[in-house]
């Protein structure tokens, strides 16, 4: 089992930037083998995948954030990051860190991102 704790959310004006961080605790061996991702959920909407980074480093992004968001991981520090640039009001949501291994998913508690127009 892996525990995840997100940080870095907040209120920002449209066009601004935020960097989300997710700290993982647990087996380093296991964390290095996990796929990591950021999801978000806006009020009244389903949770959606924003960005992912596989064990081998392959990246994936939702079309809505391509070119604006960058996901990265630091296995030695057990951290995953989401750099968010050119933020838009529609990016407002609770952002969740996710770790997956063998079909088992671990979630953080979420961090609120609010983008004002």
């Amino acid at each position: 089992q892996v525990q995840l704790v997100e940080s870095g959310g907040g209120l920002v004006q449209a066009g601004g930037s935020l960097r989300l961080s997710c700290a993982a605790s647990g087996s380093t061996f296991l964390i290095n083998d996990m796929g990591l991702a950021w999801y978000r959920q806006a009020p009244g909407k389903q949770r959606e995948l924003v960005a992912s980074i596989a064990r081998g480093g392959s990246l994936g992004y939702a079309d809505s954030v391509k070119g604006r968001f960058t996901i990265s991981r630091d296995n030695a520090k057990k951290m995953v990051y989401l750099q968010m640039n050119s933020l838009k009001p529609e990016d407002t949501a609770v952002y969740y860190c996710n770790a997956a291994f063998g079909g088992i998913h671990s979630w953080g508690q979420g961090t609120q991102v609010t983008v004002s127009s």
Side-chain angles (χ1 to χ4, degrees):
Q1 192 72 12
V2 174
Q3 290 75 47
L4 304 170
V5 179
E6 303 96 334
S7 61
L11 174 64
V12 64
Q13 288 189 331
S17 298
L18 282 175
R19 187 194 195 205
L20 304 184
S21 300
C22 174
S25 60
S27 166
T28 299
F29 177 81
L30 179 60
I31 291 168
N32 289 351
D33 277 347
M34 298 182 104
L36 302 172
W38 287 94
Y39 286 73
R40 68 185 180 187
Q41 187 166 18
K45 295 187 177 181
Q46 289 188 332
R47 191 172 296 189
E48 63 174 352
L49 177 63
V50 175
S52 62
I53 181 166
R55 165 188 171 186
S58 297
L59 306 178
Y61 295 96
D63 287 343
S64 59
V65 306
K66 281 181 181 176
R68 300 189 297 122
F69 291 11
T70 303
I71 188 171
S72 60
R73 65 191 292 168
D74 186 330
N75 287 343
K77 295 182 178 179
K78 301 183 191 180
M79 297 290 294
V80 59
Y81 306 98
L82 186 68
Q83 178 66 44
M84 306 186 295
N85 299 326
S86 302
L87 283 161
K88 304 176 181 180
E90 51 263 44
D91 294 318
T92 295
V94 177
Y95 284 71
Y96 297 90
C97 183
N98 171 275
F101 182 80
I104 298 174
H105 289 256
S106 299
W107 295 92
Q109 82 289 350
T111 185
Q112 176 71 46
V113 172
T114 302
V115 184
S116 63
S117 57

